[in-house]
Amino acid sequence: MKTTIILAHPWHGSFNKSIMDTTIEQLVHRKKDYQIIDLNKDQFNPVLSESDLSLYSKGQSRDPLVNQYQKMLSDSDELVFIFPVWWFDVPAILKGFFDKVMLKNFAYVEESTGLKGLLTHIKKTTVISTSEVPTWYLRYLAGNPIEGTLIRRTFKGIGLKNVKWLNSSFTSSGKDHRRKRFLDKVAKRMSV
């Protein structure tokens, strides 16, 4: 089984890329196989089209990237999501990833009491975000979009457990020592 890194940032000169590099260093140190889903580099189309929707209720897709990503997720026992928080939410390309890839009969089944997640083979998930506001602001004043919506709703619905969220605040104006400290936190999380 592998670790799959899902990167949702368009610029490879970003701090998000440094986070991915630190993650990879730790995985190599652990001798853990990994694979990368770089949504922007793959030119993943996050828009759910009419033709996509015609297959959606069947849990199917015509998009070859959707099928490729599902295979990669099936071969994974660990996920790492790396993305910036934009407008107090995940980037559109990552939202589209959930909309198009986490299909019925792959990521979940519907039961009378709600969704039953099917990605239970994934034993560890790490969410690493960057933002221009403090983490406490995201949690208490912005509606807690990462822990509340993404982790407790979306991830729970697809069966992901053992989820940890790390957020780097004031990313674009961040001092080097602050960034270094955050990369140390990432390395510590990824080393186990």
Side-chain angles (χ1 to χ4, degrees):
M1 296 296 266
K2 299 175 182 172
T3 296
T4 297
I5 301 166
I6 299 99
L7 177 66
H9 197 291
W11 183 44
H12 273 230
S14 73
F15 187 48
N16 283 252
K17 176 66 167 66
S18 298
I19 292 168
M20 185 173 76
D21 292 343
T22 298
T23 300
I24 291 169
E25 286 171 15
Q26 290 304 311
L27 294 171
V28 168
H29 181 72
R30 281 173 47 198
K31 295 179 175 44
K32 174 83 180 197
D33 288 337
Y34 69 90
Q35 54 195 353
I36 299 167
I37 295 173
D38 185 333
L39 295 170
N40 290 279
K41 187 175 179 185
D42 291 347
Q43 297 181 347
F44 176 69
N45 179 1
V47 177
L48 194 61
S49 69
E50 186 175 356
S51 65
D52 292 326
L53 199 54
S54 70
L55 297 172
Y56 188 82
S57 65
K58 300 173 187 170
Q60 299 172 359
S61 176
R62 286 189 184 100
D63 186 335
L65 279 176
V66 168
N67 299 320
Q68 177 185 329
Y69 292 162
Q70 287 180 342
K71 169 117 179 52
M72 293 171 78
L73 295 174
S74 294
D75 293 339
S76 302
D77 63 351
E78 180 178 14
L79 299 180
V80 180
F81 291 88
I82 303 170
F83 59 89
V85 174
W86 287 341
W87 290 106
F88 306 105
D89 205 348
V90 300
I93 200 163
L94 185 55
K95 175 66 170 78
F97 174 83
F98 296 126
D99 291 346
K100 291 178 75 172
V101 176
M102 302 305 177
L103 294 173
K104 181 166 64 172
N105 300 324
F106 169 73
Y108 69 92
V109 291
E110 296 168 336
E111 295 188 334
S112 61
T113 56
L115 300 183
K116 176 183 176 190
L118 299 179
L119 300 182
T120 55
H121 61 281
I122 296 170
K123 304 302 180 199
K124 176 182 173 185
T125 300
T126 305
V127 175
I128 307 171
S129 61
T130 58
S131 67
E132 294 304 317
V133 297
T135 305
W136 63 264
Y137 188 91
L138 290 172
R139 279 192 175 120
Y140 303 113
L141 298 177
N144 204 8
I146 306 305
E147 286 181 324
T149 304
L150 181 62
I151 295 172
R152 291 191 201 129
R153 301 299 179 270
T154 303
F155 285 0
K156 182 179 179 190
I158 60 176
L160 299 182
K161 297 179 180 167
N162 188 21
V163 180
K164 171 87 172 163
W165 174 40
L166 304 173
N167 182 62
S168 174
S169 304
F170 305 111
T171 303
S172 65
S173 60
K175 307 272 189 243
D176 286 342
H177 71 278
R178 181 183 284 171
R179 288 181 176 203
K180 169 76 170 90
R181 244 189 340 233
F182 186 75
L183 291 176
D184 289 345
K185 281 175 68 173
V186 169
K188 184 176 180 183
R189 169 70 178 173
M190 298 313 303
S191 67
V192 291

